[in-house]
């Protein structure tokens, strides 16, 4: 929503009623006014990030720049160090192996929690083969690694179907 030319006016409007704001963003656009408004009016942000490195992030988030994301995350942390940040990551064939690295990324950039969701395919863009339902053992294996990394780093991690994950799956099971 930050790309909207009316977003600052909308934030001011809702804040004028004493509302605290929670919103989602890919953090691709962030100017000084928005930074101040976030600091003054937001309780938390949900930030969509689908890759822990430039190659993966930019392959999934077409027309966005990884360096811009990192710069905006740093600006956000400097301006609003106590803002609750929730990273939301859509897991698919292209990035499932990065789940543990995404947890490290979330911790490095001061997120309070990272939630992994699975891709819902779209027949129009023909991405059915990218859905993790095609690779349940791979998803289970990397979900376990992400949960372990979260425990190690002290960051909350939410993975799909966490109650049903085979906790004994090994790398040999997914080859």
């Amino acid at each position: 929503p930050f790309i909207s030319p009316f977003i600052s006016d909308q934030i001011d409007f809702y804040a004028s009623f004493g509302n605290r704001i929670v919103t989602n963003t890919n953090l691709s656009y962030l100017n000084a006014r928005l930074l101040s408004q976030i600091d003054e009016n937001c309780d938390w942000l949900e930030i969509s990030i689908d890759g822990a490195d430039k190659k993966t992030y930019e392959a999934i988030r077409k027309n966005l720049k990884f360096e811009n994301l990192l710069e905006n995350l740093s600006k956000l942390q400097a301006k609003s160090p106590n803002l609750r940040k929730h990273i939301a990551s859509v897991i698919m064939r292209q990035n499932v192996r990065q789940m543990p690295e995404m947890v490290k990324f979330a911790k490095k950039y001061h997120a309070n929690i990272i939630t992994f969701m699975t891709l819902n395919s779209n027949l129009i863009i023909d991405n059915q083969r990218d859905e993790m339902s095609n690779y349940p053992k791979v998803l289970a294996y990397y979900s376990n690694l992400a949960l372990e990394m979260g425990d190690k780093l002290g960051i909350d991690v939410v993975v799909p179907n966490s109650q049903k994950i085979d906790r004994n799956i090994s790398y040999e099971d997914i080859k």
Side-chain angles (χ1 to χ4, degrees), residues 49-140:
I49 303 173
D50 301 324
D53 60 38
K54 178 180 176 63
K55 181 179 177 184
T56 305
Y57 176 84
E58 291 182 4
I60 294 170
R61 294 278 171 172
K62 305 285 187 204
N63 300 317
L64 298 184
K65 298 293 179 202
F66 190 67
E67 293 83 5
N68 187 52
L69 169 69
L70 299 181
E71 180 181 327
N72 287 339
L73 284 167
S74 294
K75 286 179 185 176
L76 186 62
Q77 182 62 25
K79 180 72 174 175
S80 304
N82 298 319
L83 177 70
R84 183 170 170 79
K85 292 180 280 304
H86 176 177
I87 291 181
S89 185
V90 176
I91 295 303
M92 59 196 84
R93 180 177 52 90
Q94 293 86 340
N95 66 357
V96 66
R97 289 172 182 82
Q98 287 198 336
M99 289 176 74
E101 292 304 312
M102 285 295 300
V103 176
K104 289 179 187 177
F105 182 96
K107 179 69 175 179
K108 178 178 179 179
Y109 288 96
H110 308 282
N112 302 83
I113 184 171
I114 181 167
T115 300
F116 295 102
M117 301 154 272
T118 55
L119 175 74
N120 291 316
S121 65
N122 182 324
L123 294 174
I124 295 170
I125 61 173
D126 193 30
N127 65 346
Q128 300 89 327
R129 71 177 201 267
D130 298 333
E131 276 190 18
M132 291 314 303
S133 59
N134 297 317
Y135 317 97
K137 289 182 179 181
V138 173
L139 177 61

